[in-house]
């Protein structure tokens, strides 16, 4: 049984005796971590497909909310995206770089930036 429910405004995660309702705009990133205390019974790529368009797979273990993105840069052949409220930038895989760049341009154009 899946333990995620996607609504038009939020994702609801339930496990055992805990239920978390997270509004999309409050989610900065979703990343896989070996010591997770909650387990999602769905692949990260599938989660990415069910989220709104402003979320984007950054690499095989991270989905980012591009409304928090303020910088995309290349450094020594590696690609990085910086998000407000996060200290360290996320490395972008070569496979994901075009999609992230295009979505960032689209989001910022529509925000009037």
């Amino acid at each position: 049984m899946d333990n995620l429910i996607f609504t038009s405004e939020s994702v609801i995660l339930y496990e055992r005796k805990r239920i978390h309702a997270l509004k999309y705009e409050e989610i900065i990133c979703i990343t896989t971590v070996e010591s997770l205390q909650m387990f999602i019974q769905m692949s990260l790529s599938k989660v990415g497909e069910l989220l709104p368009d402003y979320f984007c797979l950054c690499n095989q273990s991270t989905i980012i909310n591009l409304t928090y993105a303020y910088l995309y840069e290349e450094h020594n052949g590696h690609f990085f995206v910086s998000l407000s409220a996060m200290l360290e930038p996320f490395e972008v895989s070569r496979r994901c770089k075009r999609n992230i760049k295009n979505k960032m341009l689209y989001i910022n154009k529509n925000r009037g930036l």
Side-chain angles (χ1 to χ4, degrees):
M1 173 164 50
D2 287 340
N3 59 346
L4 288 176
I5 298 171
F6 292 86
T7 70
S8 62
E9 297 179 4
S10 64
V11 61
I12 300 166
L13 170 65
Y14 60 94
E15 181 184 47
R16 297 182 191 143
K17 297 179 182 180
R18 300 186 321 183
I19 298 174
H20 298 273
L22 303 166
K23 291 184 178 181
Y24 293 129
E25 65 266 12
E26 295 173 344
I27 300 171
I28 298 171
C29 68
I30 300 169
T31 186
T32 57
V33 179
E34 290 181 23
S35 61
L36 269 177
Q37 294 184 7
M38 287 186 284
F39 297 96
I40 298 172
Q41 301 166 343
M42 185 181 297
S43 73
L44 201 58
S45 60
K46 180 66 175 171
V47 170
E49 292 172 10
L50 298 171
L51 290 167
D53 286 342
Y54 50 88
F55 284 90
C56 193
L57 195 64
C58 175
N59 55 52
Q60 69 181 13
S61 62
T62 307
I63 295 173
I64 58 174
N65 181 339
L66 288 173
T67 62
Y68 288 92
Y70 66 89
L71 177 65
Y72 175 89
E73 64 182 335
E74 181 180 354
H75 184 68
N76 293 333
H78 295 272
F79 304 90
F80 299 90
V81 65
S82 296
L83 306 177
S84 57
M86 301 297 288
L87 295 176
E88 296 292 323
F90 290 96
E91 187 162 2
V92 178
S93 71
R94 291 189 183 278
R95 182 177 62 104
C96 298
K97 72 177 186 172
R98 178 177 288 171
N99 194 29
I100 285 187
K101 283 172 39 175
N102 289 340
K103 282 188 174 187
M104 277 185 71
L105 290 170
Y106 178 79
I107 289 167
N108 288 323
K109 180 180 175 185
N110 288 331
R111 274 198 263 177
L113 297 178

